[in-house]
Amino acid sequence: HNDLFRGIAISDSEPLPTNALRIYPAKRLNMSRDVTVFVEAIAPNSETKVTLSVACPDRWLQAIGLTDKAGWLDWAKLAHALYEHSNAVLDFIAKRFPQVQAKAQKLKEQNKPDEPLVCLGWGQGFLSITMTEPLRQKFPEAYETLRQAMAQAIRQYKRTKQNNFPKTIWAALDANSQPSDLFGWVQLIAR
């Protein structure tokens, strides 16, 4: 509950033009059944302005023992933290989902410490909203405790897939119904 990223809110500050939106067929990779859904998403290379704000900084900075508000709310530090988080998520995706490994690697090449990528919106799931891979590397017992708790909390894993969480990710499909892209990755550029 006191994660640094919980304090960061990103919201639209100008409407997206309709020509920046597309409908994409999508499916979850590594599912035992093949289900395709259609998703409205922002087209690649579309630009929009967003507002980056930090919600209730006093409360959550104090809760995690940080009193240097000016130091921790510095854009360079936040950007670098987002950069590292995105690299960890993209490494995890590349290892776990070979169908989109090339896309994850390409996104990682675009990620910069001062212009970080973040995953927003629908489909980001467990991989993007938690620090799963760094947690697994530094604290494997804590990671396993979290993984088991999440597997038990999500009903479908509780019954049939107890040791197989997280195992899926949403991907956009190409014209041949093959996974070709990942949803929600945007680059933050301070101006």
Side-chain angles (χ1 to χ4, degrees):
H1 293 293
N2 299 319
D3 188 319
L4 177 65
F5 296 109
R6 284 190 177 270
I8 298 172
I10 300 171
S11 59
D12 294 335
S13 58
E14 66 180 36
L16 283 168
T18 54
N19 63 354
L21 299 173
R22 302 279 187 278
I23 302 292
Y24 295 96
K27 73 175 188 175
R28 284 180 108 162
L29 304 182
N30 294 354
M31 290 263 303
S32 55
R33 57 191 166 121
D34 194 12
V35 177
T36 300
V37 299
F38 292 89
V39 178
E40 181 182 54
I42 299 171
N45 301 318
S46 296
E47 290 188 20
T48 188
K49 293 181 182 176
V50 297
T51 301
L52 179 69
S53 60
V54 180
C56 304
D58 293 321
R59 178 176 51 85
W60 59 266
L61 284 175
Q62 185 177 17
I64 58 176
L66 301 173
T67 55
D68 177 16
K69 187 170 23 174
W72 281 98
L73 299 183
D74 175 68
W75 167 247
K77 287 184 180 180
L78 288 174
H80 192 79
L82 291 168
Y83 164 79
E84 289 186 1
H85 175 72
S86 294
N87 276 343
V89 170
L90 290 166
D91 283 343
F92 188 93
I93 290 170
K95 281 188 238 173
R96 191 79 187 245
F97 303 98
Q99 308 97 314
V100 289
Q101 182 179 29
K103 182 60 180 182
Q105 293 294 353
K106 186 176 177 185
L107 285 168
K108 192 172 175 189
E109 290 167 11
Q110 292 174 294
N111 197 19
K112 301 175 189 170
D114 58 337
E115 295 179 349
L117 294 177
V118 292
C119 191
L120 304 175
W122 178 86
Q124 63 181 313
F126 185 76
L127 293 174
S128 297
I129 60 173
T130 63
M131 291 292 286
T132 52
E133 189 60 11
L135 181 65
R136 187 187 68 76
Q137 289 176 1
K138 291 185 180 181
F139 305 101
E141 290 177 10
Y143 169 81
E144 185 57 23
T145 300
L146 173 63
R147 192 195 65 75
Q148 287 181 18
M150 291 296 294
Q152 289 176 5
I154 297 174
R155 197 173 41 169
Q156 70 185 44
Y157 293 99
K158 190 174 186 178
R159 289 192 308 265
T160 60
K161 304 167 188 156
Q162 294 176 1
N163 294 313
N164 198 14
F165 176 85
K167 77 158 211 148
T168 64
I169 190 171
W170 284 100
L173 305 178
D174 64 16
N176 298 318
S177 296
Q178 296 302 309
S180 65
D181 212 339
L182 298 167
F183 287 104
W185 287 95
V186 297
Q187 190 161 33
L188 301 179
I189 300 171
R191 299 208 178 178

PDB file of all heavy atoms in Angstrom, residues 140-157:
ATOM      1  N   PRO A 140      13.478 -13.849  -2.969  1.00  0.00           N
ATOM      2  CA  PRO A 140      12.694 -14.933  -3.561  1.00  0.00           C
ATOM      3  C   PRO A 140      11.595 -15.478  -2.641  1.00  0.00           C
ATOM      4  O   PRO A 140      10.532 -15.855  -3.115  1.00  0.00           O
ATOM      5  CB  PRO A 140      13.731 -16.004  -3.893  1.00  0.00           C
ATOM      6  CG  PRO A 140      14.989 -15.599  -3.237  1.00  0.00           C
ATOM      7  CD  PRO A 140      14.902 -14.137  -2.934  1.00  0.00           C
ATOM      8  N   GLU A 141      11.841 -15.502  -1.342  1.00  0.00           N
ATOM      9  CA  GLU A 141      10.813 -16.005  -0.424  1.00  0.00           C
ATOM     10  C   GLU A 141       9.616 -15.059  -0.376  1.00  0.00           C
ATOM     11  O   GLU A 141       8.465 -15.505  -0.377  1.00  0.00           O
ATOM     12  CB  GLU A 141      11.394 -16.214   0.970  1.00  0.00           C
ATOM     13  CG  GLU A 141      12.375 -17.377   1.037  1.00  0.00           C
ATOM     14  CD  GLU A 141      13.009 -17.521   2.413  1.00  0.00           C
ATOM     15  OE1 GLU A 141      12.571 -16.864   3.369  1.00  0.00           O
ATOM     16  OE2 GLU A 141      13.964 -18.315   2.513  1.00  0.00           O
ATOM     17  N   ALA A 142       9.881 -13.751  -0.347  1.00  0.00           N
ATOM     18  CA  ALA A 142       8.785 -12.772  -0.342  1.00  0.00           C
ATOM     19  C   ALA A 142       8.012 -12.835  -1.658  1.00  0.00           C
ATOM     20  O   ALA A 142       6.784 -12.768  -1.671  1.00  0.00           O
ATOM     21  CB  ALA A 142       9.328 -11.363  -0.106  1.00  0.00           C
ATOM     22  N   TYR A 143       8.741 -12.996  -2.759  1.00  0.00           N
ATOM     23  CA  TYR A 143       8.086 -13.119  -4.059  1.00  0.00           C
ATOM     24  C   TYR A 143       7.163 -14.330  -4.079  1.00  0.00           C
ATOM     25  O   TYR A 143       6.013 -14.247  -4.529  1.00  0.00           O
ATOM     26  CB  TYR A 143       9.126 -13.243  -5.178  1.00  0.00           C
ATOM     27  CG  TYR A 143       8.520 -13.648  -6.503  1.00  0.00           C
ATOM     28  CD1 TYR A 143       7.901 -12.712  -7.322  1.00  0.00           C
ATOM     29  CD2 TYR A 143       8.538 -14.973  -6.930  1.00  0.00           C
ATOM     30  CE1 TYR A 143       7.318 -13.073  -8.529  1.00  0.00           C
ATOM     31  CE2 TYR A 143       7.965 -15.347  -8.124  1.00  0.00           C
ATOM     32  CZ  TYR A 143       7.355 -14.392  -8.922  1.00  0.00           C
ATOM     33  OH  TYR A 143       6.774 -14.762 -10.101  1.00  0.00           O
ATOM     34  N   GLU A 144       7.656 -15.465  -3.591  1.00  0.00           N
ATOM     35  CA  GLU A 144       6.843 -16.680  -3.606  1.00  0.00           C
ATOM     36  C   GLU A 144       5.621 -16.537  -2.712  1.00  0.00           C
ATOM     37  O   GLU A 144       4.529 -16.997  -3.060  1.00  0.00           O
ATOM     38  CB  GLU A 144       7.687 -17.892  -3.190  1.00  0.00           C
ATOM     39  CG  GLU A 144       6.971 -19.217  -3.296  1.00  0.00           C
ATOM     40  CD  GLU A 144       6.420 -19.518  -4.693  1.00  0.00           C
ATOM     41  OE1 GLU A 144       6.901 -18.964  -5.704  1.00  0.00           O
ATOM     42  OE2 GLU A 144       5.470 -20.328  -4.767  1.00  0.00           O
ATOM     43  N   THR A 145       5.760 -15.856  -1.583  1.00  0.00           N
ATOM     44  CA  THR A 145       4.611 -15.602  -0.707  1.00  0.00           C
ATOM     45  C   THR A 145       3.575 -14.753  -1.433  1.00  0.00           C
ATOM     46  O   THR A 145       2.373 -15.047  -1.401  1.00  0.00           O
ATOM     47  CB  THR A 145       5.065 -14.900   0.593  1.00  0.00           C
ATOM     48  OG1 THR A 145       5.996 -15.753   1.262  1.00  0.00           O
ATOM     49  CG2 THR A 145       3.888 -14.594   1.499  1.00  0.00           C
ATOM     50  N   LEU A 146       4.030 -13.698  -2.113  1.00  0.00           N
ATOM     51  CA  LEU A 146       3.118 -12.835  -2.868  1.00  0.00           C
ATOM     52  C   LEU A 146       2.460 -13.610  -4.004  1.00  0.00           C
ATOM     53  O   LEU A 146       1.247 -13.531  -4.209  1.00  0.00           O
ATOM     54  CB  LEU A 146       3.879 -11.628  -3.440  1.00  0.00           C
ATOM     55  CG  LEU A 146       3.092 -10.730  -4.392  1.00  0.00           C
ATOM     56  CD1 LEU A 146       1.912 -10.065  -3.688  1.00  0.00           C
ATOM     57  CD2 LEU A 146       4.011  -9.684  -5.009  1.00  0.00           C
ATOM     58  N   ARG A 147       3.237 -14.393  -4.732  1.00  0.00           N
ATOM     59  CA  ARG A 147       2.707 -15.155  -5.860  1.00  0.00           C
ATOM     60  C   ARG A 147       1.625 -16.129  -5.399  1.00  0.00           C
ATOM     61  O   ARG A 147       0.550 -16.226  -6.000  1.00  0.00           O
ATOM     62  CB  ARG A 147       3.824 -15.903  -6.575  1.00  0.00           C
ATOM     63  CG  ARG A 147       3.411 -16.490  -7.915  1.00  0.00           C
ATOM     64  CD  ARG A 147       4.423 -17.508  -8.413  1.00  0.00           C
ATOM     65  NE  ARG A 147       4.486 -18.672  -7.557  1.00  0.00           N
ATOM     66  CZ  ARG A 147       3.559 -19.638  -7.510  1.00  0.00           C
ATOM     67  NH1 ARG A 147       2.494 -19.568  -8.275  1.00  0.00           N
ATOM     68  NH2 ARG A 147       3.696 -20.661  -6.703  1.00  0.00           N
ATOM     69  N   GLN A 148       1.888 -16.831  -4.316  1.00  0.00           N
ATOM     70  CA  GLN A 148       0.907 -17.784  -3.810  1.00  0.00           C
ATOM     71  C   GLN A 148      -0.355 -17.081  -3.320  1.00  0.00           C
ATOM     72  O   GLN A 148      -1.470 -17.563  -3.546  1.00  0.00           O
ATOM     73  CB  GLN A 148       1.518 -18.633  -2.699  1.00  0.00           C
ATOM     74  CG  GLN A 148       2.502 -19.647  -3.219  1.00  0.00           C
ATOM     75  CD  GLN A 148       3.084 -20.507  -2.114  1.00  0.00           C
ATOM     76  OE1 GLN A 148       2.546 -20.589  -1.020  1.00  0.00           O
ATOM     77  NE2 GLN A 148       4.204 -21.159  -2.398  1.00  0.00           N
ATOM     78  N   ALA A 149      -0.183 -15.949  -2.658  1.00  0.00           N
ATOM     79  CA  ALA A 149      -1.349 -15.199  -2.173  1.00  0.00           C
ATOM     80  C   ALA A 149      -2.199 -14.724  -3.350  1.00  0.00           C
ATOM     81  O   ALA A 149      -3.438 -14.805  -3.316  1.00  0.00           O
ATOM     82  CB  ALA A 149      -0.907 -14.013  -1.328  1.00  0.00           C
ATOM     83  N   MET A 150      -1.552 -14.224  -4.407  1.00  0.00           N
ATOM     84  CA  MET A 150      -2.290 -13.775  -5.579  1.00  0.00           C
ATOM     85  C   MET A 150      -2.973 -14.953  -6.277  1.00  0.00           C
ATOM     86  O   MET A 150      -4.113 -14.850  -6.717  1.00  0.00           O
ATOM     87  CB  MET A 150      -1.358 -13.052  -6.556  1.00  0.00           C
ATOM     88  CG  MET A 150      -0.845 -11.726  -6.053  1.00  0.00           C
ATOM     89  SD  MET A 150      -2.129 -10.500  -5.821  1.00  0.00           S
ATOM     90  CE  MET A 150      -2.653 -10.233  -7.503  1.00  0.00           C
ATOM     91  N   ALA A 151      -2.282 -16.081  -6.383  1.00  0.00           N
ATOM     92  CA  ALA A 151      -2.870 -17.253  -7.022  1.00  0.00           C
ATOM     93  C   ALA A 151      -4.106 -17.722  -6.263  1.00  0.00           C
ATOM     94  O   ALA A 151      -5.091 -18.145  -6.869  1.00  0.00           O
ATOM     95  CB  ALA A 151      -1.839 -18.379  -7.107  1.00  0.00           C
ATOM     96  N   GLN A 152      -4.081 -17.638  -4.939  1.00  0.00           N
ATOM     97  CA  GLN A 152      -5.243 -18.032  -4.142  1.00  0.00           C
ATOM     98  C   GLN A 152      -6.364 -17.019  -4.236  1.00  0.00           C
ATOM     99  O   GLN A 152      -7.538 -17.372  -4.202  1.00  0.00           O
ATOM    100  CB  GLN A 152      -4.839 -18.234  -2.684  1.00  0.00           C
ATOM    101  CG  GLN A 152      -3.991 -19.474  -2.477  1.00  0.00           C
ATOM    102  CD  GLN A 152      -3.510 -19.606  -1.045  1.00  0.00           C
ATOM    103  OE1 GLN A 152      -3.872 -18.835  -0.180  1.00  0.00           O
ATOM    104  NE2 GLN A 152      -2.682 -20.616  -0.809  1.00  0.00           N
ATOM    105  N   ALA A 153      -6.012 -15.747  -4.365  1.00  0.00           N
ATOM    106  CA  ALA A 153      -7.030 -14.693  -4.412  1.00  0.00           C
ATOM    107  C   ALA A 153      -7.787 -14.680  -5.736  1.00  0.00           C
ATOM    108  O   ALA A 153      -8.954 -14.303  -5.790  1.00  0.00           O
ATOM    109  CB  ALA A 153      -6.382 -13.330  -4.174  1.00  0.00           C
ATOM    110  N   ILE A 154      -7.127 -15.104  -6.802  1.00  0.00           N
ATOM    111  CA  ILE A 154      -7.769 -15.110  -8.112  1.00  0.00           C
ATOM    112  C   ILE A 154      -8.368 -16.493  -8.328  1.00  0.00           C
ATOM    113  O   ILE A 154      -7.655 -17.482  -8.433  1.00  0.00           O
ATOM    114  CB  ILE A 154      -6.771 -14.729  -9.222  1.00  0.00           C
ATOM    115  CG1 ILE A 154      -6.287 -13.303  -8.969  1.00  0.00           C
ATOM    116  CG2 ILE A 154      -7.409 -14.856 -10.597  1.00  0.00           C
ATOM    117  CD1 ILE A 154      -5.204 -12.845  -9.876  1.00  0.00           C
ATOM    118  N   ARG A 155      -9.663 -16.548  -8.386  1.00  0.00           N
ATOM    119  CA  ARG A 155     -10.410 -17.798  -8.355  1.00  0.00           C
ATOM    120  C   ARG A 155      -9.939 -18.827  -9.383  1.00  0.00           C
ATOM    121  O   ARG A 155      -9.808 -19.999  -9.070  1.00  0.00           O
ATOM    122  CB  ARG A 155     -11.888 -17.486  -8.557  1.00  0.00           C
ATOM    123  CG  ARG A 155     -12.789 -18.591  -8.160  1.00  0.00           C
ATOM    124  CD  ARG A 155     -14.208 -18.150  -8.223  1.00  0.00           C
ATOM    125  NE  ARG A 155     -14.412 -17.335  -9.433  1.00  0.00           N
ATOM    126  CZ  ARG A 155     -15.581 -16.967  -9.885  1.00  0.00           C
ATOM    127  NH1 ARG A 155     -16.659 -17.312  -9.247  1.00  0.00           N
ATOM    128  NH2 ARG A 155     -15.691 -16.238 -10.959  1.00  0.00           N
ATOM    129  N   GLN A 156      -9.679 -18.417 -10.613  1.00  0.00           N
ATOM    130  CA  GLN A 156      -9.330 -19.405 -11.631  1.00  0.00           C
ATOM    131  C   GLN A 156      -8.029 -20.129 -11.310  1.00  0.00           C
ATOM    132  O   GLN A 156      -7.851 -21.288 -11.655  1.00  0.00           O
ATOM    133  CB  GLN A 156      -9.244 -18.768 -13.015  1.00  0.00           C
ATOM    134  CG  GLN A 156      -8.052 -17.846 -13.186  1.00  0.00           C
ATOM    135  CD  GLN A 156      -8.070 -17.139 -14.515  1.00  0.00           C
ATOM    136  OE1 GLN A 156      -9.087 -16.657 -14.949  1.00  0.00           O
ATOM    137  NE2 GLN A 156      -6.933 -17.073 -15.165  1.00  0.00           N
ATOM    138  N   TYR A 157      -7.099 -19.475 -10.633  1.00  0.00           N
ATOM    139  CA  TYR A 157      -5.837 -20.115 -10.270  1.00  0.00           C
ATOM    140  C   TYR A 157      -5.993 -20.975  -9.021  1.00  0.00           C
ATOM    141  O   TYR A 157      -5.271 -21.931  -8.820  1.00  0.00           O
ATOM    142  CB  TYR A 157      -4.750 -19.068 -10.051  1.00  0.00           C
ATOM    143  CG  TYR A 157      -4.390 -18.356 -11.326  1.00  0.00           C
ATOM    144  CD1 TYR A 157      -4.916 -17.112 -11.616  1.00  0.00           C
ATOM    145  CD2 TYR A 157      -3.545 -18.940 -12.255  1.00  0.00           C
ATOM    146  CE1 TYR A 157      -4.611 -16.466 -12.803  1.00  0.00           C
ATOM    147  CE2 TYR A 157      -3.235 -18.305 -13.442  1.00  0.00           C
ATOM    148  CZ  TYR A 157      -3.768 -17.076 -13.706  1.00  0.00           C
ATOM    149  OH  TYR A 157      -3.470 -16.440 -14.872  1.00  0.00           O
TER     150      TYR A 157
END
